[in-house]
Amino acid sequence: MTTSTLAAGPTSARLGSLHGTVLELGPGAGGNLRWYPPDVRWIGIEPDAHRRSLTRREAARIGLSAHVLSGRAERLELADGSVDAAVATFVLCSVADQAAALAELFRVLRPGGRYVFAEHVAAPAGTWLRRGQGAWAAVTGAFGATCRPNRESLRAIEDAGFDVVELHRYDLPGPFGAGITHIAGVALRPAATRGISP
Ligand SMILES: C[S@@+](CC[C@H](N)C(=O)[O-])C[C@H]1O[C@@H](n2cnc3c(N)ncnc32)[C@H](O)[C@@H]1O
């Protein structure tokens, strides 16, 4: 595995090297679209209608062929092994069921396919920051917020069966000057495990 503590700049390069059918979960307003090669077959799954329309507008603006679908990561209406690459940036904090979302991502990605990720993640267990993240998630969750800052998303990616082959960790300033840990990198669905063959 390649590791570094560099900031997330390389995410654009990772997206620029993808080919074939690319699935992006939770594209939001389509901020990643500009980085894809123009010949990818891009599918976005976005539950929010307003964000879907923003993504469609952005795709039209840059001339990318995009299928923006309503849905949720936890239940993908796509066949097993049907996408060549998957992308989710700042989405694992928001999905209702992280394990289900990652299991679905694993299922639809072809064996050997790449999953490009970027997420903010929980501070180390036992720190005051981690306790604060837990309290923040409980309070804001009670008011309907969906972003949970106390998730161990890297572990969840590995637990889903992905091999993390490139990992960058970096801190960005958060509330009260706290450094919020971010991760960005690439995971692979192993070529010959679990279910379908290449
Ligand atoms: C913080 S935004 C990130 C948007 C974009 N990926 C980015 O990097 O700017 C989280 C996105 O995940 C979407 N989302 C929330 N729950 C989801 C789910 N269960 N499945 C797919 N997307 C979801 C939200 O609607 C939103 O667009």
Side-chain angles (χ1 to χ4, degrees):
M1 187 196 333
T2 307
T3 61
S4 87
T5 53
L6 297 174
T11 295
S12 55
R14 290 182 207 110
L15 300 184
S17 66
L18 299 181
H19 298 290
T21 300
V22 178
L23 169 67
E24 182 168 343
L25 302 178
N32 286 331
L33 295 185
R34 77 192 80 167
W35 306 118
Y36 292 104
D39 59 343
V40 298
R41 292 180 296 282
W42 187 92
I43 302 168
I45 304 289
E46 172 55 62
D48 182 276
H50 178 60
R51 289 176 171 144
R52 286 197 300 278
S53 75
L54 292 176
T55 295
R56 288 192 184 102
R57 190 188 307 170
E58 174 65 1
R61 187 185 72 80
I62 62 176
L64 185 78
S65 159
H67 300 279
V68 189
L69 306 176
S70 173
R72 293 190 175 273
E74 293 89 339
R75 189 186 168 126
L76 299 174
E77 304 284 335
L78 295 167
D80 294 359
S82 59
V83 305
D84 297 297
V87 175
T89 62
F90 306 103
V91 172
L92 291 183
C93 57
S94 297
V95 297
D97 185 336
Q98 208 177 50
L102 285 163
E104 278 291 84
L105 197 60
F106 191 97
R107 179 183 67 77
V108 303
L109 186 59
R110 70 166 170 76
R114 280 193 225 179
Y115 161 31
V116 176
F117 60 86
E119 301 288 343
H120 61 84
V121 296
T127 61
W128 70 266
L129 181 54
R130 176 64 171 271
R131 286 191 287 278
Q133 288 174 329
W136 179 264
V139 171
T140 59
F143 289 95
T146 56
C147 178
R148 298 159 190 89
N150 59 338
R151 285 187 161 170
E152 296 189 12
S153 298
L154 179 61
R155 180 183 295 176
I157 291 168
E158 292 171 333
D159 287 350
F162 290 100
D163 283 343
V164 176
V165 294
E166 184 187 341
L167 177 64
H168 304 266
R169 286 180 193 272
Y170 57 100
D171 286 350
L172 291 179
F176 310 112
I180 303 299
T181 302
H182 288 61
I183 57 169
V186 178
L188 299 182
R189 175 180 168 155
T193 56
R194 284 204 196 177
I196 62 175
S197 50

